[in-house]
Amino acid sequence: MTETADGVEDREPIPEGMPTGSDRTADAGDDPLVSVRELTKYFYEHDSLYDRLLDRGPVSIQAVDGISFDIYEGETLGLVGESGCGKSTAGETLLNLQEATDGSVAFDGESIDGIDGSVPSSTADPPVGVKLSSVLLAVLGVVAVAGGGSVVTAAAEYPTWIVVLGGAWLLHGLASVGTAYGLWTVEAWGWRLATGVAVLAVALSLPTLSVAGGPAGVGVVAGLGLFVYLLVRRRVFITPSEFRRRTAIVFQDPFSSLDPRMTIGDVVRQPLDVHDVGTKEERRERVRYLIERVGLSADQLDRYPSEFSGGQRQRIAIARALALDPDFVVLDEPTSALDVSVQAQVLNLLDELQDEFGLTYLLISHDLSVIRHICDRVAVMYLGEIVELGDAEDLFESPRHPYTEVLLDNVPRAAMGERERDIETLNVDVPSPRDPPSGCRFRTRCPEVIPPEDVGLEQDQYRAVTDLRQRIEDREVSLRTARQQAEDRIVAQELADRLLEVDLPPNHRSYVDEALEVLAEGEYQDAADHLRERYESVCERYHPHLGDEDHPAACHLHGPLPEEAEEARPVVE
Amino acid sequence: MSEEILRISDLSARFFTNEGQVNAVSNLDLTVERGEVFGIVGESGSGKSVTALSIMDLIDSPGEITDGRIEYRNADLAEAVADTHPEAVDGEFVDLLSIPEDARKSLRGSSFSMIFQDPMSSFNPSLTVGEQIAEAVEVQRRATANPRSTKARTKSVEYSLSSLVLSTVLPSRRFVTEAGRKRAVELLDMVGIPDPAQRTDEYPHEYSGGMLQRAMIAQALAGEPDVLIADEPTTALDVTIQAQVLDILRDLQEETGMTIVLITHNLGVIARMCDRVGVMYAGEVVERGTLGDIFQRQVHPYTAGLLGSIPDIESVGGRLEPIEGNVPSLLDHEMGDRCYFADRCPKAMEECLDKPPDISAEGSEDHVAKCVLADHPYDPARALPDDHFEELTVGQGTAGEVADDD
Ligand SMILES: Nc1ncnc2c1ncn2[C@@H]1O[C@H](COP(=O)(O)OP(=O)(O)OP(=O)(O)O)[C@@H](O)[C@H]1O
Ligand code: SF4
Ligand code: SF4
Ligand SMILES: [Mg+2]
């Protein structure tokens, strides 16, 4: 597993045409393979120097906002939600393909450095130039230490070569630790050189040191060696390179995710080359095996991606993802660009491969039927947050969050009787992630939003009043239009006719009219405040948290309200 | 119901491309009844959009309708063209392919209207939504008053840079009358845009995707068309927005009694919306009938395969029963003259190597399948050997791409 770390001859042998990885699933225990905690990713707009000169503050887009979940070995976790809810960003940030703003990810029990954005991580392997210069640097380092060492030896009467070897040993240690922490990438060649020198150093310095420094000297060297060895070998830290090796991703668009200038054989072999796995012959064998395993013919290895259909390209992308025999694969809408008949082929293939290679999947999709078909557990995302998380069966049979209910309800079923099925449609579109609603992010659309106690309005009436306030708060009501339209009527009256789509009981109607009169004067804030005073919902004031029970839902309808919320509940006479 | 409004027979449309002749639609027959929602379902490249564009007379070079009749029931039109083009007229029906270009054009908007998958393509970004709908209304009004002036700048399907510049320099406000504006507000209200009086003055980019889709429907309704052709109207939308848009289409259909031809690849959308359905494969309607015919009594193995391919949201797990193989090439020289589905069909027999005609099948009167199974059951003794098509299919991997240009 750790070829880059201490690489002498520790490269993983490539099985001849046989699936590998099943050895890892032997103990499909209770420990999660992937543990995500409070993962957060913001993008910033208006963040250039120009914007700063104009004194424009950066606008954050809260693509992923503190999501936490575990993925257990061998399972498929589904991540479902509407477009723009942050599903793909979550997947990419989790794999460290995008730098996280905050939060942490642990893989196989070990934390992934670089995820939290504090340590720069390398997402691509270094080009040849970097490889050469790393070798050169290693040589220069040895020479430099040797030069400095000769001065020391002259003073302290040690043989020069002890200092030289000691220096090399030191370099190797630094390099290992540095890479383990993701401080720099040392390419395999550099590693081999450094390791070779280090092994030599240990071998030679032990007897010499036992003469010069006695047992204490031997102890120090051996202890240091053991420490570095453990650090790297036992993977106290997963190197970014190894993490990348044990994870893979398949993207939605099979038309743009493959390099059109590479033959499909090269496409699939590239990860093997980059990670320097196996001999040439072994690599070729592996590529043939994979291509055939995903249902293409090995005769087609020399063809270019453009010669294949969408479904075939997606198979190629899957073969490539499996090249390094990963443990964990993120599937980002793997079948969304495909026709239904081909989608079914690919879904079946993914299913087979999972069993055969002992894979763990994170399946990202907007298609609830696909999610239900494939996933063991499901996380529902809305505007950057996970709002419900549970066993697939549970979640589909008894959804708890109002958003999940609406999503499931709105999927048209391909069955007779679908025309007669009543469904609840939402009238409002998804708000912008630049300025997500306070409290519960779903509250602007939620059909079950909780009105203040004793307000005495039907849900649709309450919704109408809330929508009206929302529009006033967003300054979306144009008074100019209203004045034009009103002609000789009262502007507030015109506003009420236009903006209120339901009838309200008289006491509420007059309360709302008061607000509209204020609005007609151009006092947006006061009008909104007036309405808020009476109609503010707990859903707006308090952010619901995802609990840690078996099937949590982030909604105030479930679980107790925060204590202050109980006290602060507005009482309406 | 049950009065036919549209009768398409033997329609063929071809594209003449560098790679050769593409048989996008071949010998297509179907009828649409007044006031129904007729669904056309099929996979990418099966010819759904080309069929729709043929009805709208929007097929451009390198494409061409090479054969067939598209007959539209319209007594007034029949009377108007009876003298000059007697061959086009059959009772109240008029063959749209045999009447002059400008007579056909004048039907656009008032008789037929179309909505697309991508609403941005039907709006000009530099005019407000209201102006564009009002303009469509005005065009229709003038067209009815004086059939000659049917030009509208915002009606073209795509926008070039020059049209953008032109419309910016010459704002079309003068084209928009007070009555037109009022109607625009009404139309926006009909499609469920909140606060239409104000929204009408906003620009397309100020609308969210779902709202723009609805605005496009409003625009298509401006001429009170007889037939609304909706080409994948909800494919780019999220389920919650899709549900809104389908709801609106259905309400409109119930209110106005217009006929809708709904094109989609989503069988769920078909089940929710349609009265009758045509299943397309490789440019042909391979099976058509009522919802029950298609969902419960389907005969064609392709229809069965499509239904078996969709994961069921109501139950978990299990293997899907996909259709093996890939979408076929529509290049004329690669097509042959057999059942086009034979190379993927699990029940292909020797007789399938001759093209099967439309054969009535059990179920409703309208139930027809282009498949020998409608005539006699599968006989393993006559099954084609597994490798029968192997030689043919090598090198056809590219079938999918040609279709992906829309
Ligand atoms: N402008 C064009 N030039 C060349 N070929 C075309 C053109 N338009 C369509 N075709 C071809 O006609 C065939 C049918 O295409 P059509 O767009 O009708 O399919 P569709 O069923 O609507 O597919 P989709 O589900 O992808 O929208 C395809 O093979 C396509 O490549
Ligand atoms: S917290 Fe309130 S607004 Fe949010 S989902 Fe629950 S009921 Fe709806
Ligand atoms: S005609 Fe033959 S090959 Fe074609 S669909 Fe029917 S059974 Fe299959
Ligand atoms: Mg199409």
Side-chain angles (χ1 to χ4, degrees):
Chain A
M1 297 287 89
T2 55
E3 53 96 20
T4 49
D6 58 0
V8 192
E9 253 350 320
D10 190 37
R11 276 176 283 135
E12 190 184 26
I14 295 210
E16 273 165 40
M18 274 289 123
T20 63
S22 37
D23 54 335
R24 282 196 297 268
T25 46
D27 57 344
D30 299 331
D31 290 338
L33 180 66
V34 181
S35 247
V36 177
R37 290 294 172 269
E38 295 299 319
L39 191 66
T40 302
K41 173 71 185 175
Y42 289 180
F43 294 103
Y44 291 93
E45 268 179 358
H46 300 318
D47 200 19
S48 66
L49 184 63
Y50 176 71
D51 289 310
R52 261 172 243 164
L53 286 178
L54 285 181
D55 207 18
R56 267 205 297 234
V59 179
S60 70
I61 302 167
Q62 307 177 7
V64 175
D65 206 4
I67 61 173
S68 304
F69 54 83
D70 290 327
I71 309 177
Y72 295 90
E73 206 160 315
E75 79 165 347
T76 302
L77 177 72
L79 196 54
V80 67
E82 294 178 278
S83 62
C85 73
K87 311 181 286 293
S88 295
T89 310
E92 284 170 24
T93 313
L94 185 161
L95 284 190
N96 209 5
L97 300 176
Q98 294 207 30
E99 199 175 291
T101 308
D102 204 356
S104 67
V105 175
F107 184 75
D108 210 358
E110 295 148 13
S111 77
I112 309 303
D113 286 296
I115 289 286
D116 66 358
S118 59
V119 180
S121 64
S122 56
T123 52
D125 270 75
V128 188
V130 176
K131 294 182 184 183
L132 279 179
S133 59
S134 77
V135 176
L136 215 69
L137 269 179
V139 174
L140 280 179
V142 173
V143 172
V145 173
S150 59
V151 178
V152 178
T153 35
E157 293 178 2
Y158 278 120
T160 312
W161 59 270
I162 287 188
V163 182
V164 172
L165 291 177
W169 183 230
L170 204 73
L171 269 181
H172 179 234
L174 280 176
S176 331
V177 177
T179 311
Y181 276 107
L183 290 178
W184 53 70
T185 341
V186 178
E187 181 282 331
W189 270 103
W191 274 114
R192 262 177 236 160
L193 188 79
T195 313
V197 173
V199 168
L200 219 77
V202 176
L204 293 175
S205 55
L206 282 180
T208 317
L209 273 180
S210 60
V211 176
V218 179
V220 168
V221 171
L224 261 176
L226 201 69
F227 175 68
V228 173
Y229 178 80
L230 285 180
L231 216 58
V232 181
R233 171 69 213 178
R234 300 288 306 276
R235 287 181 278 119
V236 177
F237 308 100
I238 288 203
T239 64
S241 165
E242 191 201 338
F243 177 57
R244 245 179 304 135
R245 228 191 111 165
R246 293 183 59 188
T247 59
I249 185 163
V250 175
F251 293 103
Q252 164 171 2
D253 186 359
F255 291 92
S256 63
S257 65
L258 302 177
D259 185 339
R261 290 156 306 181
M262 286 165 83
T263 65
I264 64 160
D266 292 342
V267 165
V268 178
R269 207 186 51 234
Q270 194 185 39
L272 296 170
D273 291 345
V274 164
H275 286 264
D276 196 23
V277 180
T279 65
K280 231 174 158 173
E281 188 45 45
E282 284 169 337
R283 288 179 206 176
R284 187 158 39 228
E285 203 36 58
R286 175 94 180 146
V287 170
R288 292 178 76 86
Y289 169 72
L290 286 167
I291 282 290
E292 283 180 350
R293 184 58 200 85
V294 297
L296 298 173
S297 148
D299 305 339
Q300 296 171 313
L301 286 176
D302 293 332
R303 301 220 190 159
Y304 289 88
S306 62
E307 296 174 54
F308 294 86
S309 69
Q312 290 171 325
R313 283 189 221 191
Q314 203 56 298
R315 289 168 189 270
I316 298 166
I318 293 170
R320 175 188 163 98
L322 297 185
L324 293 167
D325 193 22
D327 301 307
F328 174 59
V329 184
V330 173
L331 304 163
D332 189 356
E333 304 265 9
T335 59
S336 301
L338 307 179
D339 277 316
V340 267
S341 71
V342 181
Q343 158 171 302
Q345 297 169 2
V346 173
L347 290 179
N348 280 347
L349 173 70
L350 287 170
D351 204 29
E352 292 161 20
L353 293 174
Q354 178 165 42
D355 290 348
E356 218 172 292
F357 292 72
L359 298 169
T360 303
Y361 288 151
L362 175 67
L363 174 71
I364 298 172
S365 177
H366 69 277
D367 187 331
L368 288 137
S369 316
V370 169
I371 291 274
R372 169 143 209 195
H373 185 74
I374 291 240
C375 298
D376 302 306
R377 287 189 311 131
V378 179
V380 181
M381 262 187 102
Y382 186 76
L383 277 183
E385 298 179 336
I386 290 182
V387 297
E388 182 164 357
L389 177 64
D391 199 59
E393 184 75 38
D394 257 14
L395 189 132
F396 278 84
E397 290 302 326
S398 35
R400 297 182 73 208
H401 197 280
Y403 177 62
T404 315
E405 286 176 27
V406 169
L407 268 187
L408 293 180
D409 179 60
N410 281 0
V411 177
R413 272 69 164 163
M416 296 298 291
E418 173 62 13
R419 289 168 60 116
E420 283 74 46
R421 192 173 63 94
D422 265 334
I423 64 173
E424 175 154 38
T425 54
L426 303 177
N427 290 318
V428 186
D429 290 342
V430 192
S432 159
R434 285 171 190 75
D435 183 21
S438 63
C440 172
R441 292 187 172 180
F442 187 52
R443 70 170 162 85
T444 56
R445 308 168 83 199
C446 179
E448 290 170 56
V449 60
I450 306 168
E453 232 168 319
D454 307 328
V455 82
L457 284 176
E458 302 289 325
Q459 178 68 233
D460 65 328
Q461 296 170 324
Y462 180 66
R463 167 56 67 200
V465 177
T466 319
D467 286 352
L468 171 64
R469 174 157 64 84
Q470 187 71 44
R471 298 198 54 198
I472 297 174
E473 275 173 8
D474 295 347
R475 300 281 196 277
E476 265 189 18
V477 180
S478 153
L479 292 177
R480 201 178 59 104
T481 316
R483 289 186 188 122
Q484 275 170 8
Q485 297 276 313
E487 285 160 8
D488 41 37
R489 292 186 312 144
I490 299 161
V491 177
Q493 203 58 48
E494 160 66 20
L495 283 171
D497 288 351
R498 237 184 57 203
L499 301 176
L500 265 182
E501 294 189 341
V502 298
D503 290 329
L504 297 177
N507 58 329
H508 289 278
R509 179 58 201 253
S510 58
Y511 191 91
V512 171
D513 281 344
E514 286 166 28
L516 290 176
E517 275 155 32
V518 178
L519 177 66
E521 301 299 315
E523 302 296 337
Y524 284 86
Q525 195 57 52
D526 293 350
D529 288 347
H530 188 65
L531 288 173
R532 176 175 311 110
E533 206 171 294
R534 182 153 183 189
Y535 297 109
E536 186 177 47
S537 160
V538 281
C539 301
E540 173 173 0
R541 207 172 319 175
Y542 300 101
H543 181 259
H545 292 283
L546 195 67
D548 47 15
E549 62 264 43
D550 260 1
H551 176 174
C555 168
H556 292 313
L557 290 171
H558 305 289
L561 287 168
E563 234 161 68
E564 344 69 290
E566 291 292 351
E567 287 164 21
R569 270 193 174 174
V571 184
V572 175
E573 328 68 63
Chain B
M1 244 204 243
S2 85
E3 181 195 65
E4 291 173 353
I5 186 168
L6 202 58
R7 235 167 33 192
I8 301 178
S9 44
D10 211 25
L11 180 74
S12 293
R14 310 273 180 248
F15 285 87
F16 302 95
T17 67
N18 293 338
E19 282 131 284
Q21 175 185 327
V22 179
N23 296 344
V25 170
S26 304
N27 310 97
L28 179 130
D29 292 306
L30 51 88
T31 56
V32 179
E33 287 168 7
R34 190 183 293 282
E36 77 170 340
V37 180
F38 187 89
I40 299 183
V41 66
E43 296 181 280
S44 190
S46 58
K48 307 182 297 290
S49 299
V50 172
T51 305
L53 294 173
S54 304
I55 301 173
M56 293 298 294
D57 189 23
L58 289 173
I59 301 268
D60 283 329
S61 147
E64 199 182 297
I65 296 176
T66 52
D67 211 353
R69 286 170 82 84
I70 300 178
E71 291 171 306
Y72 166 51
R73 183 196 291 264
N74 184 326
D76 295 340
L77 182 68
E79 206 176 313
V81 298
D83 292 340
T84 48
H85 297 85
E87 75 286 358
V89 180
D90 174 10
E92 288 187 347
F93 283 95
V94 178
D95 175 20
L96 301 178
L97 300 179
S98 335
I99 60 173
E101 189 69 23
D102 48 331
R104 250 193 113 171
K105 277 227 171 80
S106 70
L107 296 175
R108 236 184 266 161
S110 59
S111 290
F112 301 102
S113 212
M114 183 154 172
I115 54 180
F116 301 90
Q117 175 173 343
D118 171 20
M120 261 311 182
S121 65
S122 7
F123 283 101
N124 180 333
S126 58
L127 297 175
T128 68
V129 171
E131 277 164 13
Q132 301 185 56
I133 297 177
E135 196 180 306
V137 171
E138 187 62 13
V139 168
Q140 286 310 323
R141 199 187 59 75
R142 292 191 195 178
T144 352
N146 164 20
R148 293 216 162 268
S149 72
T150 52
K151 282 226 158 54
R153 283 198 308 279
T154 53
K155 261 321 234 188
S156 85
V157 181
E158 268 162 45
Y159 285 94
S160 59
L161 186 64
S162 59
S163 76
L164 200 154
V165 170
L166 234 148
S167 53
T168 319
V169 179
L170 302 170
S172 73
R173 286 180 199 276
R174 63 196 161 73
F175 209 71
V176 177
T177 61
E178 196 45 43
R181 190 196 135 89
K182 263 223 168 72
R183 179 77 185 133
V185 175
E186 274 173 36
L187 286 166
L188 286 175
D189 194 31
M190 258 171 96
V191 296
I193 302 273
D195 195 11
Q198 182 181 325
R199 290 287 185 185
T200 190
D201 292 329
E202 292 180 3
Y203 290 88
H205 69 87
E206 293 173 79
Y207 276 51
S208 68
M211 279 200 332
L212 206 57
Q213 197 73 22
R214 283 181 265 171
M216 177 166 63
I217 298 174
Q219 190 187 33
L221 294 180
E224 298 175 17
D226 271 355
V227 181
L228 178 71
I229 298 174
D231 189 1
E232 306 264 10
T234 59
T235 300
L237 305 176
D238 280 317
V239 275
T240 58
I241 316 288
Q242 163 168 290
Q244 290 169 20
V245 170
L246 293 181
D247 233 30
I248 283 157
L249 276 177
R250 193 144 76 163
D251 288 352
L252 285 173
Q253 199 265 339
E254 273 163 20
E255 269 166 44
T256 64
M258 80 183 154
T259 310
I260 298 181
V261 176
L262 178 65
I263 294 174
T264 176
H265 65 272
N266 184 332
L267 282 160
V269 172
I270 292 278
R272 183 149 190 89
M273 298 291 293
C274 300
D275 300 292
R276 293 190 310 134
V277 192
V279 180
M280 285 195 77
Y281 185 77
E284 300 179 323
V285 171
V286 293
E287 184 161 11
R288 56 177 201 268
T290 60
L291 266 192
D293 293 337
I294 299 301
F295 281 83
Q296 292 173 330
R297 294 179 289 273
Q298 72 279 2
V299 169
H300 202 290
Y302 178 65
T303 313
L306 267 190
L307 286 163
S309 294
I310 24 177
D312 184 1
I313 192 165
E314 310 272 2
S315 66
V316 222
R319 263 184 82 82
L320 300 171
E321 300 295 339
I323 305 169
E324 297 306 327
N326 291 298
V327 182
S329 157
L330 296 183
L331 285 172
D332 187 55
H333 59 268
E334 289 178 8
M335 285 186 83
D337 199 22
R338 52 172 166 92
C339 166
Y340 295 147
F341 189 58
D343 57 337
R344 301 173 76 187
C345 181
K347 295 187 174 166
M349 294 177 281
E350 285 152 13
E351 56 266 47
C352 306
L353 296 176
D354 293 325
K355 197 162 205 28
D358 279 347
I359 305 173
S360 317
E362 248 169 74
S364 81
E365 262 175 57
D366 303 328
H367 190 192
V368 167
K370 242 186 219 336
C371 172
V372 296
L373 295 178
D375 184 57
H376 53 266
Y378 176 59
D379 176 3
R382 288 200 303 281
L384 288 176
D386 279 347
D387 57 356
H388 182 86
F389 291 103
E390 219 134 79
E391 301 236 312
L392 285 171
T393 45
V394 168
Q396 287 196 2
T398 53
E401 286 89 77
V402 197
D404 257 81
D405 48 14
D406 64 352

